[in-house]
Amino acid sequence: MRLFAAVIPPEAAISELAQAVRGLRDDRLRWTAEAGWHFTLAFMGEVREELLPELHARLARAAARSAPFPLRIHSSGHFGHRSLWAGAAGDLDALRMLAERADAAARRSGVPMDQHHRYTPHLTLGRLRDERDDVRPYCTALASFEGTGWQVGELSLVRSNLPDSGVPGEQPRYDVVGSWELGEPAPPYEGRARSR
């Protein structure tokens, strides 16, 4: 399974952002579907099925050690000159700590993770089709966006199903395969946990 840990904004927050983006949509960007708008905490890639029980247990413990915290979608940014994203505001220290814990949970479960980088909270909105274009005008248009805040209360494990139909423009599909409330005691894990 191709998996990642994420914070998924509530529908009201997604609707606000969708309204702000609506007037910007054009064919120069491949826009991410609203169903794919989330804050990735730790991208795991392909995860072997035998690792899932321990991964679930460790993510449950990561969630249990993290108190709920306030967050809102805020402003915009870009990676390079092609990738457009919306940012976050609120308790970013708590969000970064949750990302660190999700990353550690995956590593300790035996999931081979990419080299660790400082976490930049972002929600990907789209990527330019032509590298000669520039994403900065979109960033400028969204710079003043300020979404309504919400209380993050859940850590989600999401499966990414890549397009396989060959239809141009088909988007990945995302399925939540596990979720854990923040601050809730984790259930005991019956398997053998590796200590690292």
Side-chain angles (χ1 to χ4, degrees), residues 31-55:
W31 294 91
T32 306
E34 292 170 25
W37 288 355
H38 53 261
F39 290 100
T40 299
L41 299 172
F43 181 74
M44 300 169 201
E46 293 292 335
V47 177
R48 298 191 321 271
E49 194 164 339
E50 62 267 21
L51 300 179
L52 292 179
E54 187 166 346
L55 176 61

Side-chain angles (χ1 to χ4, degrees), residues 61-133:
R61 287 199 292 272
R65 293 197 311 268
S66 304
F69 58 91
L71 197 67
R72 67 185 184 277
I73 301 173
H74 163 81
S75 193
S76 62
H78 58 93
F79 293 127
H81 66 283
R82 294 189 66 191
S83 181
L84 173 69
W85 48 263
D91 193 342
L92 297 186
D93 287 341
L95 182 62
R96 286 188 181 103
M97 180 58 73
L98 187 59
E100 292 278 339
R101 288 176 173 157
D103 183 271
R107 288 177 192 281
R108 291 178 179 147
S109 300
V111 177
M113 300 290 285
D114 287 338
Q115 185 178 355
H116 189 68
H117 299 287
R118 178 163 168 76
Y119 178 69
T120 302
H122 67 282
L123 183 157
T124 303
L125 296 173
R127 291 178 181 81
L128 286 170
R129 296 176 189 278
D130 188 332
E131 61 186 40
R132 294 169 295 184
D133 281 332

